[in-house]
Amino acid sequence: MKNLSKTFSLLQTLRKWAVCAVLVFVCGNANAQNTDFEELAKIKGVEYTHVNKDMIRLAAQQGKGLHVGEKINLDDDIGGEFLNQFDDVKVFTCERKGSIKKFKNTALDLLKGQEWEPLIDTKGDEGEIVKIYLSKNGERTTNVILAIEDEEANLVVVDGTFDITKMMQEGMKGKVEVNN
């Protein structure tokens, strides 16, 4: 009976370790997906802006909208309820002629994974490219917008519960601008 008890205890311990390992792996993958984009900030000539959850909540409470440089403007009249869907916003901008190609290739390589669902993929007459991707994990989403022109490239990453597909289906009451 003693041996059976020791074996059962060992199995329970192993099961606990297995569950912990799975949780670490899953959490690590979700975080790795987001931190990979920070590779773009290492490219010469890339400007990087990060707005965390606390700053987004503060903007929502004050009713001031969210303005990230000249690139992202979520107008004041959208309201805090909309902004409360955002946990994290990262904006990468490259205006350096010699770095735009590397920026584009790095961004596209990061978006090749199976977790990314391409929503929009357009190329204009003058070579401008706009791509929008989505990754979902339950209620959590990561939305990525990549816009590339000859003189400038931008990548915006939005984490939270905001789902860009719902916005495109339902439309929006307020005004959202991504200036290129």
Side-chain angles (χ1 to χ4, degrees), residues 9 14 24 36 69 120-121 152 155 173 178:
S9 177
L14 287 174
V24 167
D36 287 347
I120 294 178
D121 188 354
E152 183 177 0
L155 184 122
K173 296 176 188 170
V178 177

PDB file of all heavy atoms in Angstrom, residues 9 14 24 36 69 120-121 152 155 173 178:
ATOM      1  N   SER A   9       1.391   9.710  -5.513  1.00  0.00           N
ATOM      2  CA  SER A   9       1.906  11.039  -5.182  1.00  0.00           C
ATOM      3  C   SER A   9       2.857  11.536  -6.268  1.00  0.00           C
ATOM      4  O   SER A   9       2.825  12.692  -6.654  1.00  0.00           O
ATOM      5  CB  SER A   9       2.613  10.992  -3.829  1.00  0.00           C
ATOM      6  OG  SER A   9       3.172  12.239  -3.532  1.00  0.00           O
ATOM      7  N   LEU A  14       3.997  14.939 -11.068  1.00  0.00           N
ATOM      8  CA  LEU A  14       4.319  15.036 -12.493  1.00  0.00           C
ATOM      9  C   LEU A  14       3.216  15.737 -13.272  1.00  0.00           C
ATOM     10  O   LEU A  14       3.482  16.535 -14.175  1.00  0.00           O
ATOM     11  CB  LEU A  14       4.579  13.645 -13.071  1.00  0.00           C
ATOM     12  CG  LEU A  14       5.894  12.984 -12.665  1.00  0.00           C
ATOM     13  CD1 LEU A  14       5.957  11.555 -13.187  1.00  0.00           C
ATOM     14  CD2 LEU A  14       7.075  13.791 -13.180  1.00  0.00           C
ATOM     15  N   VAL A  24       3.236  27.790 -19.117  1.00  0.00           N
ATOM     16  CA  VAL A  24       4.393  28.618 -19.454  1.00  0.00           C
ATOM     17  C   VAL A  24       4.571  28.684 -20.959  1.00  0.00           C
ATOM     18  O   VAL A  24       4.818  29.748 -21.534  1.00  0.00           O
ATOM     19  CB  VAL A  24       5.669  28.069 -18.767  1.00  0.00           C
ATOM     20  CG1 VAL A  24       6.918  28.693 -19.347  1.00  0.00           C
ATOM     21  CG2 VAL A  24       5.591  28.311 -17.271  1.00  0.00           C
ATOM     22  N   ASP A  36       8.194  40.009 -30.730  1.00  0.00           N
ATOM     23  CA  ASP A  36       8.906  39.877 -31.990  1.00  0.00           C
ATOM     24  C   ASP A  36       8.893  41.175 -32.783  1.00  0.00           C
ATOM     25  O   ASP A  36       9.857  41.482 -33.474  1.00  0.00           O
ATOM     26  CB  ASP A  36       8.291  38.758 -32.839  1.00  0.00           C
ATOM     27  CG  ASP A  36       8.612  37.371 -32.310  1.00  0.00           C
ATOM     28  OD1 ASP A  36       9.504  37.246 -31.446  1.00  0.00           O
ATOM     29  OD2 ASP A  36       7.970  36.411 -32.750  1.00  0.00           O
ATOM     30  N   GLY A  69       1.569  60.371 -31.905  1.00  0.00           N
ATOM     31  CA  GLY A  69       2.286  61.135 -32.916  1.00  0.00           C
ATOM     32  C   GLY A  69       1.333  61.662 -33.970  1.00  0.00           C
ATOM     33  O   GLY A  69       0.205  62.030 -33.679  1.00  0.00           O
ATOM     34  N   ILE A 120      -6.786  42.017 -44.965  1.00  0.00           N
ATOM     35  CA  ILE A 120      -6.730  42.893 -46.138  1.00  0.00           C
ATOM     36  C   ILE A 120      -5.312  42.852 -46.688  1.00  0.00           C
ATOM     37  O   ILE A 120      -4.339  42.916 -45.936  1.00  0.00           O
ATOM     38  CB  ILE A 120      -7.120  44.344 -45.781  1.00  0.00           C
ATOM     39  CG1 ILE A 120      -8.586  44.407 -45.374  1.00  0.00           C
ATOM     40  CG2 ILE A 120      -6.821  45.291 -46.934  1.00  0.00           C
ATOM     41  CD1 ILE A 120      -9.062  45.774 -44.960  1.00  0.00           C
ATOM     42  N   ASP A 121      -5.203  42.767 -47.995  1.00  0.00           N
ATOM     43  CA  ASP A 121      -3.903  42.765 -48.667  1.00  0.00           C
ATOM     44  C   ASP A 121      -4.083  43.526 -49.968  1.00  0.00           C
ATOM     45  O   ASP A 121      -4.644  42.999 -50.926  1.00  0.00           O
ATOM     46  CB  ASP A 121      -3.453  41.328 -48.918  1.00  0.00           C
ATOM     47  CG  ASP A 121      -2.032  41.241 -49.445  1.00  0.00           C
ATOM     48  OD1 ASP A 121      -1.420  42.297 -49.727  1.00  0.00           O
ATOM     49  OD2 ASP A 121      -1.530  40.111 -49.577  1.00  0.00           O
ATOM     50  N   GLU A 152       8.000  55.950 -46.998  1.00  0.00           N
ATOM     51  CA  GLU A 152       7.670  55.704 -45.595  1.00  0.00           C
ATOM     52  C   GLU A 152       7.022  54.338 -45.418  1.00  0.00           C
ATOM     53  O   GLU A 152       6.302  53.861 -46.287  1.00  0.00           O
ATOM     54  CB  GLU A 152       6.701  56.801 -45.124  1.00  0.00           C
ATOM     55  CG  GLU A 152       6.332  56.739 -43.693  1.00  0.00           C
ATOM     56  CD  GLU A 152       5.419  57.900 -43.283  1.00  0.00           C
ATOM     57  OE1 GLU A 152       5.076  58.752 -44.117  1.00  0.00           O
ATOM     58  OE2 GLU A 152       5.064  57.924 -42.109  1.00  0.00           O
ATOM     59  N   LEU A 155       4.005  50.367 -39.191  1.00  0.00           N
ATOM     60  CA  LEU A 155       3.375  49.164 -38.677  1.00  0.00           C
ATOM     61  C   LEU A 155       2.768  49.529 -37.334  1.00  0.00           C
ATOM     62  O   LEU A 155       3.434  50.117 -36.488  1.00  0.00           O
ATOM     63  CB  LEU A 155       4.389  48.027 -38.500  1.00  0.00           C
ATOM     64  CG  LEU A 155       3.733  46.728 -38.058  1.00  0.00           C
ATOM     65  CD1 LEU A 155       4.027  45.629 -39.069  1.00  0.00           C
ATOM     66  CD2 LEU A 155       4.225  46.307 -36.699  1.00  0.00           C
ATOM     67  N   LYS A 173     -18.988  54.617 -34.901  1.00  0.00           N
ATOM     68  CA  LYS A 173     -19.686  55.876 -34.666  1.00  0.00           C
ATOM     69  C   LYS A 173     -18.724  57.055 -34.811  1.00  0.00           C
ATOM     70  O   LYS A 173     -19.074  58.073 -35.350  1.00  0.00           O
ATOM     71  CB  LYS A 173     -20.300  55.884 -33.277  1.00  0.00           C
ATOM     72  CG  LYS A 173     -21.359  54.839 -33.077  1.00  0.00           C
ATOM     73  CD  LYS A 173     -21.841  54.845 -31.650  1.00  0.00           C
ATOM     74  CE  LYS A 173     -22.770  53.661 -31.397  1.00  0.00           C
ATOM     75  NZ  LYS A 173     -23.083  53.479 -30.003  1.00  0.00           N
ATOM     76  N   VAL A 178      -5.648  56.697 -39.660  1.00  0.00           N
ATOM     77  CA  VAL A 178      -4.251  56.293 -39.712  1.00  0.00           C
ATOM     78  C   VAL A 178      -3.668  57.076 -40.869  1.00  0.00           C
ATOM     79  O   VAL A 178      -3.975  56.832 -42.024  1.00  0.00           O
ATOM     80  CB  VAL A 178      -4.088  54.773 -39.941  1.00  0.00           C
ATOM     81  CG1 VAL A 178      -2.628  54.415 -40.056  1.00  0.00           C
ATOM     82  CG2 VAL A 178      -4.761  53.997 -38.817  1.00  0.00           C
TER      83      VAL A 178
END
